[in-house]
Amino acid sequence: MRKTLSLIFPILLFSGFVVAQESGNRAYGTQKRKPTVNSGVLTGNPDGKALAYFVEANVLMNVKADSYTAVFGVVQEGLTSTESGSKTDAAIASFTKELDTLGIKRSDIFVDFITQNKIYDYAASGSTVTEKFSGFETKKNVEVRYRDREVLDKVLAAASRASIYDLIEVDYTVSDVNAVHAKLYDEAVKVIKQKEASYTNSFGIKLAPTNLANEKYDAFFPSDLYSNYQAYEAGNTYGDYNNRVVQARKTRTFFYDPLNASDFDAVINQIGIEPMVQFTLYMKMQYDLGAKK
């Protein structure tokens, strides 16, 4: 049986950044994802004679999007399915007509049918409340692709004039993902070789590479990385146990919270004031332990 140890001495390149990002109503249901970052704990199996070491690299690359897609939710009700569908189509037609004046081509607009369903309401008669059919509801999404981030404010204004108020999310698109992965791979290999040389020079050990144990790519888009908070101070009530206390509504808001650069061995393209898509690569190389110098 082989004795396996995880040899971890991170060589970190620190950087600080502050960013801002447009969000959508999807943020209400978004939980922030985090990459799997090495914890730095040394583990091993005490049985066996041979030693196997793992040298790891965590690399982050910030990439500017080539285009953006704003997704709007449109919903209308009617007594019949035809009426609800016609109202929805009319709102979308008004919206797309205004998008033409912004220079957005019809090929950059896609209408996605979501659902058409019955809706019910309650009617009270004396002490009885009865649920009754009240009509239909049609839901469609309108996806608008654009390349200039400044256009979004104008698109939002056009949607509002068409009585469309639900901006679901803004998707970021990076066209050449293969090139991004190639840069991440090269940087991860460089980090591992630097660590290997550092261990040899510092501790006099020789590491013989045996195989690539793990290679995991991931991508984190701005919509994945929102956190929420409420900022307020509430008072206390005393002696009001027999009274009904009505609390005020507190505003909950969101902020863009990107991946922390200090969690990575290397960062390609430091983030400036414009948010970017964050690509990561976790690489793990296995070595056999050679004799000391």
Side-chain angles (χ1 to χ4, degrees), residues 21-22 26-27 30 169-172 221-226 256:
Q21 162 62 21
E22 64 267 90
R26 178 178 179 267
T30 298
E169 65 178 349
V170 177
D171 290 329
Y172 280 46
F221 295 86
S223 57
D224 296 323
L225 300 173
Y226 275 89
Y256 179 59

Side-chain angles (χ1 to χ4, degrees), residues 131-187:
E131 186 177 30
K132 293 184 176 181
F133 168 75
S134 62
F136 288 86
E137 179 182 70
T138 301
K139 297 178 182 178
K140 294 185 179 182
N141 289 346
V142 182
E143 301 179 13
V144 183
R145 182 170 56 196
Y146 56 95
R147 290 165 181 80
D148 183 1
R149 293 181 71 240
E150 303 296 329
V151 172
L152 180 59
D153 287 341
K154 296 178 181 179
V155 172
L156 287 169
S160 179
R161 287 190 289 270
S163 299
I164 298 174
Y165 307 106
D166 185 9
L167 172 60
I168 298 174
E169 65 178 349
V170 177
D171 290 329
Y172 280 46
T173 301
V174 175
S175 301
D176 197 351
V177 175
N178 289 334
V180 173
H181 285 182
K183 290 182 180 179
L184 284 169
Y185 181 88
D186 290 342
E187 190 65 28

Side-chain angles (χ1 to χ4, degrees), residues 230-290:
Q230 287 180 301
Y232 66 90
E233 292 289 342
N236 295 317
T237 60
Y238 301 96
D240 292 330
Y241 303 109
N242 295 324
N243 297 328
R244 179 169 174 259
V245 178
V246 180
Q247 296 180 330
R249 180 174 64 88
K250 284 84 172 180
T251 299
R252 182 162 65 113
T253 189
F254 304 88
F255 66 97
Y256 179 59
D257 187 15
L259 303 180
N260 191 339
S262 64
D263 290 333
F264 297 87
D265 297 304
V267 178
I268 306 172
N269 299 337
Q270 298 293 335
I271 278 189
I273 60 174
E274 181 179 358
M276 300 180 181
V277 183
Q278 297 188 289
F279 290 89
T280 64
L281 170 59
Y282 169 73
M283 182 179 288
K284 185 176 182 180
M285 190 70 189
Q286 181 175 334
Y287 294 81
D288 279 345
L289 181 64

Side-chain angles (χ1 to χ4, degrees), residues 16-43:
F17 44 83
V18 178
V19 298
Q21 162 62 21
E22 64 267 90
S23 179
N25 294 334
R26 178 178 179 267
Y28 281 94
T30 298
Q31 291 184 346
K32 183 170 180 176
R33 295 195 303 127
K34 282 287 191 180
T36 302
V37 178
N38 183 10
S39 64
V41 178
L42 183 66
T43 59

